[in-house]
Amino acid sequence: MTLLYIVLATFAGGLLSVLVAASLTVGVLTRLVKSLVSLSAGILLGTSLLNVLPEAFESHTALPQTLFAVLLAGLLFFWLLEKVELYRHTHHHEDDGHHHHHHFDAEQAGRGGLTVLVGDSIHNFCDGAIIAAAFLADTHLGWATALAIVAHEIPQEVGDYIVLLNAGFTRAKALLFNAISGMASVLGGVLGYLLIGQFDGVLPYLLVLASSSFIYISVADLLPQLQQRLAWRDTFAQVAWLAVGLGAAFVVSQMLHQSHGHAH
């Protein structure tokens, strides 16, 4: 049953992002991404700090100092991955307020289409393994982690889709690229289940690595995008969506505490 949950959760992330991109116009997608960036930042931060990290530290199978060292190593690892363009987070598009030169997206996709695909596939594979580790630790934590990843995957994949459209790709080809990279998460989830399930002792470390991924994405990529000077209504909307994400993570954390209480 756990494997089925993992497959469903990882498949949903890739499928939802493709369906959202396929069903809406570029203009609507552009406005949607802005809201989803705030929402996913809240969900990722809340899930990592309220759910995943506490679960790792409550295992009592690893020293706190060791887990904090893994958290530090994870943050540096994901920074290095992104530095060599193997761990990408694409939420920008032409005229998005970032100071890219004209036709930046066309050059991005035109010169590095393979890099885009490989980088997103590695990212999604890691997400699948993270979901597997979370489900193996606790079913509620698994769904919470999957929710956090899906919330981030939708704006990321929509961003990739917009980049490819701006580069001249057809809608069908852009969606195909997104679908291929999205399905890497299913592979990561299945392999994670098969490998991690044999070594229960590594679960706390993997959960901390998952948290480092969420924290890095939030702090290095999502929150800086919310630092633009905006009208007060737009600022209020950003804060509101961020609060919704944090609130969702808090509700899940209460459910986890209750489930643990019943288990004891």
Side-chain angles (χ1 to χ4, degrees), residues 185-220:
S185 63
V186 180
L187 178 62
V190 172
L191 289 180
Y193 172 80
L194 296 175
L195 296 176
I196 299 169
Q198 302 179 27
F199 307 97
D200 290 339
V202 304
L203 266 179
Y205 304 102
L206 292 176
L207 292 177
V208 170
L209 280 177
S211 293
S212 69
S213 171
F214 291 174
I215 293 170
Y216 178 79
I217 292 170
S218 301
V219 174

PDB file of all heavy atoms in Angstrom, residues 185-220:
ATOM      1  N   SER A 185      10.056  11.792 -11.331  1.00  0.00           N
ATOM      2  CA  SER A 185       9.735  11.708  -9.905  1.00  0.00           C
ATOM      3  C   SER A 185       9.155  10.343  -9.552  1.00  0.00           C
ATOM      4  O   SER A 185       9.376   9.841  -8.442  1.00  0.00           O
ATOM      5  CB  SER A 185       8.757  12.816  -9.518  1.00  0.00           C
ATOM      6  OG  SER A 185       7.523  12.667 -10.189  1.00  0.00           O
ATOM      7  N   VAL A 186       8.400   9.733 -10.473  1.00  0.00           N
ATOM      8  CA  VAL A 186       7.865   8.394 -10.223  1.00  0.00           C
ATOM      9  C   VAL A 186       9.012   7.391 -10.099  1.00  0.00           C
ATOM     10  O   VAL A 186       9.025   6.546  -9.194  1.00  0.00           O
ATOM     11  CB  VAL A 186       6.901   7.972 -11.356  1.00  0.00           C
ATOM     12  CG1 VAL A 186       6.357   6.577 -11.090  1.00  0.00           C
ATOM     13  CG2 VAL A 186       5.761   8.973 -11.497  1.00  0.00           C
ATOM     14  N   LEU A 187       9.993   7.502 -11.001  1.00  0.00           N
ATOM     15  CA  LEU A 187      11.159   6.619 -10.935  1.00  0.00           C
ATOM     16  C   LEU A 187      11.909   6.806  -9.622  1.00  0.00           C
ATOM     17  O   LEU A 187      12.298   5.832  -8.958  1.00  0.00           O
ATOM     18  CB  LEU A 187      12.086   6.897 -12.117  1.00  0.00           C
ATOM     19  CG  LEU A 187      13.384   6.093 -12.181  1.00  0.00           C
ATOM     20  CD1 LEU A 187      13.081   4.595 -12.298  1.00  0.00           C
ATOM     21  CD2 LEU A 187      14.241   6.553 -13.357  1.00  0.00           C
ATOM     22  N   GLY A 188      12.082   8.058  -9.209  1.00  0.00           N
ATOM     23  CA  GLY A 188      12.758   8.330  -7.948  1.00  0.00           C
ATOM     24  C   GLY A 188      11.991   7.778  -6.762  1.00  0.00           C
ATOM     25  O   GLY A 188      12.582   7.258  -5.814  1.00  0.00           O
ATOM     26  N   GLY A 189      10.664   7.874  -6.820  1.00  0.00           N
ATOM     27  CA  GLY A 189       9.850   7.345  -5.729  1.00  0.00           C
ATOM     28  C   GLY A 189       9.933   5.839  -5.614  1.00  0.00           C
ATOM     29  O   GLY A 189      10.082   5.292  -4.513  1.00  0.00           O
ATOM     30  N   VAL A 190       9.857   5.127  -6.740  1.00  0.00           N
ATOM     31  CA  VAL A 190       9.904   3.661  -6.723  1.00  0.00           C
ATOM     32  C   VAL A 190      11.280   3.175  -6.272  1.00  0.00           C
ATOM     33  O   VAL A 190      11.390   2.284  -5.413  1.00  0.00           O
ATOM     34  CB  VAL A 190       9.555   3.099  -8.111  1.00  0.00           C
ATOM     35  CG1 VAL A 190       9.787   1.589  -8.156  1.00  0.00           C
ATOM     36  CG2 VAL A 190       8.107   3.414  -8.467  1.00  0.00           C
ATOM     37  N   LEU A 191      12.337   3.746  -6.834  1.00  0.00           N
ATOM     38  CA  LEU A 191      13.683   3.338  -6.427  1.00  0.00           C
ATOM     39  C   LEU A 191      13.936   3.687  -4.965  1.00  0.00           C
ATOM     40  O   LEU A 191      14.577   2.913  -4.241  1.00  0.00           O
ATOM     41  CB  LEU A 191      14.731   4.005  -7.324  1.00  0.00           C
ATOM     42  CG  LEU A 191      14.805   3.507  -8.763  1.00  0.00           C
ATOM     43  CD1 LEU A 191      15.881   4.257  -9.544  1.00  0.00           C
ATOM     44  CD2 LEU A 191      15.110   2.003  -8.793  1.00  0.00           C
ATOM     45  N   GLY A 192      13.429   4.845  -4.541  1.00  0.00           N
ATOM     46  CA  GLY A 192      13.576   5.227  -3.143  1.00  0.00           C
ATOM     47  C   GLY A 192      12.903   4.237  -2.222  1.00  0.00           C
ATOM     48  O   GLY A 192      13.459   3.852  -1.186  1.00  0.00           O
ATOM     49  N   TYR A 193      11.717   3.801  -2.596  1.00  0.00           N
ATOM     50  CA  TYR A 193      10.992   2.816  -1.783  1.00  0.00           C
ATOM     51  C   TYR A 193      11.776   1.507  -1.692  1.00  0.00           C
ATOM     52  O   TYR A 193      11.897   0.915  -0.607  1.00  0.00           O
ATOM     53  CB  TYR A 193       9.616   2.569  -2.399  1.00  0.00           C
ATOM     54  CG  TYR A 193       8.860   1.428  -1.763  1.00  0.00           C
ATOM     55  CD1 TYR A 193       8.173   1.603  -0.563  1.00  0.00           C
ATOM     56  CD2 TYR A 193       8.843   0.165  -2.358  1.00  0.00           C
ATOM     57  CE1 TYR A 193       7.481   0.554   0.026  1.00  0.00           C
ATOM     58  CE2 TYR A 193       8.154  -0.892  -1.777  1.00  0.00           C
ATOM     59  CZ  TYR A 193       7.475  -0.693  -0.593  1.00  0.00           C
ATOM     60  OH  TYR A 193       6.799  -1.738  -0.010  1.00  0.00           O
ATOM     61  N   LEU A 194      12.315   1.053  -2.810  1.00  0.00           N
ATOM     62  CA  LEU A 194      13.030  -0.221  -2.839  1.00  0.00           C
ATOM     63  C   LEU A 194      14.339  -0.167  -2.052  1.00  0.00           C
ATOM     64  O   LEU A 194      14.717  -1.143  -1.388  1.00  0.00           O
ATOM     65  CB  LEU A 194      13.306  -0.642  -4.282  1.00  0.00           C
ATOM     66  CG  LEU A 194      12.061  -0.939  -5.140  1.00  0.00           C
ATOM     67  CD1 LEU A 194      12.478  -1.219  -6.584  1.00  0.00           C
ATOM     68  CD2 LEU A 194      11.284  -2.118  -4.566  1.00  0.00           C
ATOM     69  N   LEU A 195      15.030   0.966  -2.132  1.00  0.00           N
ATOM     70  CA  LEU A 195      16.353   1.060  -1.500  1.00  0.00           C
ATOM     71  C   LEU A 195      16.260   1.521  -0.049  1.00  0.00           C
ATOM     72  O   LEU A 195      16.891   0.939   0.839  1.00  0.00           O
ATOM     73  CB  LEU A 195      17.240   2.022  -2.298  1.00  0.00           C
ATOM     74  CG  LEU A 195      17.564   1.589  -3.733  1.00  0.00           C
ATOM     75  CD1 LEU A 195      18.373   2.670  -4.448  1.00  0.00           C
ATOM     76  CD2 LEU A 195      18.333   0.270  -3.739  1.00  0.00           C
ATOM     77  N   ILE A 196      15.466   2.573   0.186  1.00  0.00           N
ATOM     78  CA  ILE A 196      15.387   3.137   1.537  1.00  0.00           C
ATOM     79  C   ILE A 196      14.710   2.168   2.493  1.00  0.00           C
ATOM     80  O   ILE A 196      15.074   2.071   3.670  1.00  0.00           O
ATOM     81  CB  ILE A 196      14.634   4.478   1.516  1.00  0.00           C
ATOM     82  CG1 ILE A 196      15.370   5.484   0.644  1.00  0.00           C
ATOM     83  CG2 ILE A 196      14.477   5.035   2.924  1.00  0.00           C
ATOM     84  CD1 ILE A 196      14.575   6.750   0.359  1.00  0.00           C
ATOM     85  N   GLY A 197      13.709   1.426   1.994  1.00  0.00           N
ATOM     86  CA  GLY A 197      12.966   0.510   2.855  1.00  0.00           C
ATOM     87  C   GLY A 197      13.832  -0.552   3.505  1.00  0.00           C
ATOM     88  O   GLY A 197      13.472  -1.115   4.545  1.00  0.00           O
ATOM     89  N   GLN A 198      14.988  -0.829   2.912  1.00  0.00           N
ATOM     90  CA  GLN A 198      15.885  -1.849   3.461  1.00  0.00           C
ATOM     91  C   GLN A 198      16.796  -1.295   4.551  1.00  0.00           C
ATOM     92  O   GLN A 198      17.475  -2.056   5.240  1.00  0.00           O
ATOM     93  CB  GLN A 198      16.741  -2.437   2.334  1.00  0.00           C
ATOM     94  CG  GLN A 198      15.921  -3.060   1.214  1.00  0.00           C
ATOM     95  CD  GLN A 198      16.790  -3.607   0.098  1.00  0.00           C
ATOM     96  OE1 GLN A 198      17.937  -3.981   0.328  1.00  0.00           O
ATOM     97  NE2 GLN A 198      16.255  -3.655  -1.111  1.00  0.00           N
ATOM     98  N   PHE A 199      16.829   0.013   4.691  1.00  0.00           N
ATOM     99  CA  PHE A 199      17.743   0.636   5.659  1.00  0.00           C
ATOM    100  C   PHE A 199      16.978   1.683   6.465  1.00  0.00           C
ATOM    101  O   PHE A 199      17.067   2.888   6.197  1.00  0.00           O
ATOM    102  CB  PHE A 199      18.937   1.274   4.949  1.00  0.00           C
ATOM    103  CG  PHE A 199      19.675   0.347   4.022  1.00  0.00           C
ATOM    104  CD1 PHE A 199      19.402   0.355   2.665  1.00  0.00           C
ATOM    105  CD2 PHE A 199      20.617  -0.554   4.514  1.00  0.00           C
ATOM    106  CE1 PHE A 199      20.076  -0.495   1.806  1.00  0.00           C
ATOM    107  CE2 PHE A 199      21.285  -1.413   3.658  1.00  0.00           C
ATOM    108  CZ  PHE A 199      21.013  -1.386   2.304  1.00  0.00           C
ATOM    109  N   ASP A 200      16.224   1.236   7.459  1.00  0.00           N
ATOM    110  CA  ASP A 200      15.423   2.156   8.265  1.00  0.00           C
ATOM    111  C   ASP A 200      16.273   3.189   8.993  1.00  0.00           C
ATOM    112  O   ASP A 200      15.815   4.302   9.267  1.00  0.00           O
ATOM    113  CB  ASP A 200      14.595   1.368   9.290  1.00  0.00           C
ATOM    114  CG  ASP A 200      13.490   0.561   8.628  1.00  0.00           C
ATOM    115  OD1 ASP A 200      13.123   0.903   7.490  1.00  0.00           O
ATOM    116  OD2 ASP A 200      13.003  -0.400   9.246  1.00  0.00           O
ATOM    117  N   GLY A 201      17.517   2.834   9.294  1.00  0.00           N
ATOM    118  CA  GLY A 201      18.377   3.740  10.048  1.00  0.00           C
ATOM    119  C   GLY A 201      18.741   5.010   9.310  1.00  0.00           C
ATOM    120  O   GLY A 201      19.135   5.999   9.943  1.00  0.00           O
ATOM    121  N   VAL A 202      18.605   5.002   7.974  1.00  0.00           N
ATOM    122  CA  VAL A 202      18.985   6.188   7.218  1.00  0.00           C
ATOM    123  C   VAL A 202      17.821   7.166   7.066  1.00  0.00           C
ATOM    124  O   VAL A 202      18.016   8.287   6.576  1.00  0.00           O
ATOM    125  CB  VAL A 202      19.515   5.812   5.809  1.00  0.00           C
ATOM    126  CG1 VAL A 202      20.674   4.847   5.909  1.00  0.00           C
ATOM    127  CG2 VAL A 202      18.405   5.232   4.935  1.00  0.00           C
ATOM    128  N   LEU A 203      16.616   6.763   7.481  1.00  0.00           N
ATOM    129  CA  LEU A 203      15.440   7.611   7.284  1.00  0.00           C
ATOM    130  C   LEU A 203      15.587   9.014   7.891  1.00  0.00           C
ATOM    131  O   LEU A 203      15.265  10.010   7.231  1.00  0.00           O
ATOM    132  CB  LEU A 203      14.196   6.930   7.842  1.00  0.00           C
ATOM    133  CG  LEU A 203      13.366   6.115   6.845  1.00  0.00           C
ATOM    134  CD1 LEU A 203      12.175   5.475   7.536  1.00  0.00           C
ATOM    135  CD2 LEU A 203      12.886   6.992   5.696  1.00  0.00           C
ATOM    136  N   PRO A 204      16.057   9.144   9.152  1.00  0.00           N
ATOM    137  CA  PRO A 204      16.197  10.501   9.711  1.00  0.00           C
ATOM    138  C   PRO A 204      17.108  11.392   8.871  1.00  0.00           C
ATOM    139  O   PRO A 204      16.816  12.576   8.678  1.00  0.00           O
ATOM    140  CB  PRO A 204      16.785  10.254  11.102  1.00  0.00           C
ATOM    141  CG  PRO A 204      16.388   8.859  11.437  1.00  0.00           C
ATOM    142  CD  PRO A 204      16.412   8.115  10.149  1.00  0.00           C
ATOM    143  N   TYR A 205      18.192  10.819   8.344  1.00  0.00           N
ATOM    144  CA  TYR A 205      19.124  11.607   7.541  1.00  0.00           C
ATOM    145  C   TYR A 205      18.485  12.031   6.224  1.00  0.00           C
ATOM    146  O   TYR A 205      18.690  13.160   5.753  1.00  0.00           O
ATOM    147  CB  TYR A 205      20.392  10.800   7.286  1.00  0.00           C
ATOM    148  CG  TYR A 205      21.067  10.315   8.555  1.00  0.00           C
ATOM    149  CD1 TYR A 205      20.932   9.000   8.975  1.00  0.00           C
ATOM    150  CD2 TYR A 205      21.830  11.192   9.337  1.00  0.00           C
ATOM    151  CE1 TYR A 205      21.533   8.553  10.143  1.00  0.00           C
ATOM    152  CE2 TYR A 205      22.440  10.765  10.509  1.00  0.00           C
ATOM    153  CZ  TYR A 205      22.284   9.441  10.909  1.00  0.00           C
ATOM    154  OH  TYR A 205      22.878   9.008  12.067  1.00  0.00           O
ATOM    155  N   LEU A 206      17.714  11.138   5.624  1.00  0.00           N
ATOM    156  CA  LEU A 206      17.042  11.471   4.373  1.00  0.00           C
ATOM    157  C   LEU A 206      15.973  12.527   4.580  1.00  0.00           C
ATOM    158  O   LEU A 206      15.763  13.398   3.733  1.00  0.00           O
ATOM    159  CB  LEU A 206      16.432  10.205   3.758  1.00  0.00           C
ATOM    160  CG  LEU A 206      17.437   9.174   3.254  1.00  0.00           C
ATOM    161  CD1 LEU A 206      16.718   7.923   2.757  1.00  0.00           C
ATOM    162  CD2 LEU A 206      18.290   9.754   2.134  1.00  0.00           C
ATOM    163  N   LEU A 207      15.281  12.464   5.715  1.00  0.00           N
ATOM    164  CA  LEU A 207      14.278  13.486   6.012  1.00  0.00           C
ATOM    165  C   LEU A 207      14.933  14.855   6.200  1.00  0.00           C
ATOM    166  O   LEU A 207      14.390  15.878   5.768  1.00  0.00           O
ATOM    167  CB  LEU A 207      13.494  13.106   7.267  1.00  0.00           C
ATOM    168  CG  LEU A 207      12.576  11.883   7.144  1.00  0.00           C
ATOM    169  CD1 LEU A 207      11.916  11.565   8.477  1.00  0.00           C
ATOM    170  CD2 LEU A 207      11.518  12.112   6.065  1.00  0.00           C
ATOM    171  N   VAL A 208      16.102  14.872   6.826  1.00  0.00           N
ATOM    172  CA  VAL A 208      16.821  16.136   6.989  1.00  0.00           C
ATOM    173  C   VAL A 208      17.279  16.660   5.626  1.00  0.00           C
ATOM    174  O   VAL A 208      17.208  17.863   5.352  1.00  0.00           O
ATOM    175  CB  VAL A 208      18.023  15.955   7.943  1.00  0.00           C
ATOM    176  CG1 VAL A 208      18.912  17.195   7.935  1.00  0.00           C
ATOM    177  CG2 VAL A 208      17.539  15.690   9.362  1.00  0.00           C
ATOM    178  N   LEU A 209      17.728  15.758   4.749  1.00  0.00           N
ATOM    179  CA  LEU A 209      18.098  16.174   3.395  1.00  0.00           C
ATOM    180  C   LEU A 209      16.893  16.743   2.653  1.00  0.00           C
ATOM    181  O   LEU A 209      17.005  17.722   1.906  1.00  0.00           O
ATOM    182  CB  LEU A 209      18.680  14.990   2.616  1.00  0.00           C
ATOM    183  CG  LEU A 209      20.143  14.640   2.878  1.00  0.00           C
ATOM    184  CD1 LEU A 209      20.536  13.407   2.083  1.00  0.00           C
ATOM    185  CD2 LEU A 209      21.047  15.822   2.494  1.00  0.00           C
ATOM    186  N   ALA A 210      15.731  16.117   2.855  1.00  0.00           N
ATOM    187  CA  ALA A 210      14.504  16.641   2.248  1.00  0.00           C
ATOM    188  C   ALA A 210      14.237  18.061   2.744  1.00  0.00           C
ATOM    189  O   ALA A 210      13.898  18.961   1.966  1.00  0.00           O
ATOM    190  CB  ALA A 210      13.328  15.730   2.572  1.00  0.00           C
ATOM    191  N   SER A 211      14.398  18.264   4.046  1.00  0.00           N
ATOM    192  CA  SER A 211      14.192  19.593   4.614  1.00  0.00           C
ATOM    193  C   SER A 211      15.176  20.603   4.038  1.00  0.00           C
ATOM    194  O   SER A 211      14.806  21.751   3.758  1.00  0.00           O
ATOM    195  CB  SER A 211      14.340  19.552   6.136  1.00  0.00           C
ATOM    196  OG  SER A 211      13.299  18.813   6.721  1.00  0.00           O
ATOM    197  N   SER A 212      16.429  20.188   3.870  1.00  0.00           N
ATOM    198  CA  SER A 212      17.425  21.106   3.306  1.00  0.00           C
ATOM    199  C   SER A 212      17.044  21.509   1.886  1.00  0.00           C
ATOM    200  O   SER A 212      17.257  22.658   1.482  1.00  0.00           O
ATOM    201  CB  SER A 212      18.813  20.471   3.331  1.00  0.00           C
ATOM    202  OG  SER A 212      18.901  19.384   2.420  1.00  0.00           O
ATOM    203  N   SER A 213      16.464  20.578   1.132  1.00  0.00           N
ATOM    204  CA  SER A 213      15.997  20.902  -0.218  1.00  0.00           C
ATOM    205  C   SER A 213      14.882  21.933  -0.179  1.00  0.00           C
ATOM    206  O   SER A 213      14.902  22.936  -0.902  1.00  0.00           O
ATOM    207  CB  SER A 213      15.509  19.629  -0.919  1.00  0.00           C
ATOM    208  OG  SER A 213      14.865  19.935  -2.133  1.00  0.00           O
ATOM    209  N   PHE A 214      13.898  21.705   0.700  1.00  0.00           N
ATOM    210  CA  PHE A 214      12.766  22.626   0.809  1.00  0.00           C
ATOM    211  C   PHE A 214      13.223  24.013   1.261  1.00  0.00           C
ATOM    212  O   PHE A 214      12.777  25.034   0.730  1.00  0.00           O
ATOM    213  CB  PHE A 214      11.735  22.084   1.799  1.00  0.00           C
ATOM    214  CG  PHE A 214      11.003  20.858   1.322  1.00  0.00           C
ATOM    215  CD1 PHE A 214      10.137  20.182   2.158  1.00  0.00           C
ATOM    216  CD2 PHE A 214      11.173  20.380   0.027  1.00  0.00           C
ATOM    217  CE1 PHE A 214       9.441  19.062   1.727  1.00  0.00           C
ATOM    218  CE2 PHE A 214      10.490  19.262  -0.412  1.00  0.00           C
ATOM    219  CZ  PHE A 214       9.623  18.602   0.438  1.00  0.00           C
ATOM    220  N   ILE A 215      14.090  24.032   2.275  1.00  0.00           N
ATOM    221  CA  ILE A 215      14.561  25.313   2.809  1.00  0.00           C
ATOM    222  C   ILE A 215      15.373  26.059   1.760  1.00  0.00           C
ATOM    223  O   ILE A 215      15.221  27.276   1.574  1.00  0.00           O
ATOM    224  CB  ILE A 215      15.390  25.091   4.091  1.00  0.00           C
ATOM    225  CG1 ILE A 215      14.486  24.558   5.206  1.00  0.00           C
ATOM    226  CG2 ILE A 215      16.066  26.390   4.532  1.00  0.00           C
ATOM    227  CD1 ILE A 215      15.238  24.084   6.431  1.00  0.00           C
ATOM    228  N   TYR A 216      16.227  25.339   1.041  1.00  0.00           N
ATOM    229  CA  TYR A 216      17.055  25.987   0.018  1.00  0.00           C
ATOM    230  C   TYR A 216      16.191  26.596  -1.079  1.00  0.00           C
ATOM    231  O   TYR A 216      16.388  27.753  -1.480  1.00  0.00           O
ATOM    232  CB  TYR A 216      18.038  24.988  -0.592  1.00  0.00           C
ATOM    233  CG  TYR A 216      18.866  25.624  -1.688  1.00  0.00           C
ATOM    234  CD1 TYR A 216      19.949  26.438  -1.376  1.00  0.00           C
ATOM    235  CD2 TYR A 216      18.521  25.464  -3.024  1.00  0.00           C
ATOM    236  CE1 TYR A 216      20.673  27.067  -2.362  1.00  0.00           C
ATOM    237  CE2 TYR A 216      19.240  26.081  -4.024  1.00  0.00           C
ATOM    238  CZ  TYR A 216      20.323  26.884  -3.689  1.00  0.00           C
ATOM    239  OH  TYR A 216      21.031  27.520  -4.676  1.00  0.00           O
ATOM    240  N   ILE A 217      15.226  25.832  -1.574  1.00  0.00           N
ATOM    241  CA  ILE A 217      14.349  26.336  -2.629  1.00  0.00           C
ATOM    242  C   ILE A 217      13.612  27.589  -2.151  1.00  0.00           C
ATOM    243  O   ILE A 217      13.507  28.581  -2.874  1.00  0.00           O
ATOM    244  CB  ILE A 217      13.345  25.256  -3.052  1.00  0.00           C
ATOM    245  CG1 ILE A 217      14.058  24.107  -3.768  1.00  0.00           C
ATOM    246  CG2 ILE A 217      12.269  25.846  -3.969  1.00  0.00           C
ATOM    247  CD1 ILE A 217      13.181  22.893  -4.013  1.00  0.00           C
ATOM    248  N   SER A 218      13.110  27.538  -0.912  1.00  0.00           N
ATOM    249  CA  SER A 218      12.352  28.672  -0.386  1.00  0.00           C
ATOM    250  C   SER A 218      13.215  29.908  -0.229  1.00  0.00           C
ATOM    251  O   SER A 218      12.843  31.003  -0.674  1.00  0.00           O
ATOM    252  CB  SER A 218      11.738  28.306   0.971  1.00  0.00           C
ATOM    253  OG  SER A 218      10.892  27.192   0.853  1.00  0.00           O
ATOM    254  N   VAL A 219      14.373  29.744   0.416  1.00  0.00           N
ATOM    255  CA  VAL A 219      15.202  30.896   0.771  1.00  0.00           C
ATOM    256  C   VAL A 219      16.008  31.413  -0.416  1.00  0.00           C
ATOM    257  O   VAL A 219      16.171  32.635  -0.579  1.00  0.00           O
ATOM    258  CB  VAL A 219      16.143  30.521   1.946  1.00  0.00           C
ATOM    259  CG1 VAL A 219      17.121  31.646   2.240  1.00  0.00           C
ATOM    260  CG2 VAL A 219      15.320  30.197   3.186  1.00  0.00           C
ATOM    261  N   ALA A 220      16.514  30.512  -1.266  1.00  0.00           N
ATOM    262  CA  ALA A 220      17.382  30.932  -2.359  1.00  0.00           C
ATOM    263  C   ALA A 220      16.617  31.307  -3.624  1.00  0.00           C
ATOM    264  O   ALA A 220      17.130  32.070  -4.447  1.00  0.00           O
ATOM    265  CB  ALA A 220      18.387  29.817  -2.684  1.00  0.00           C
TER     266      ALA A 220
END
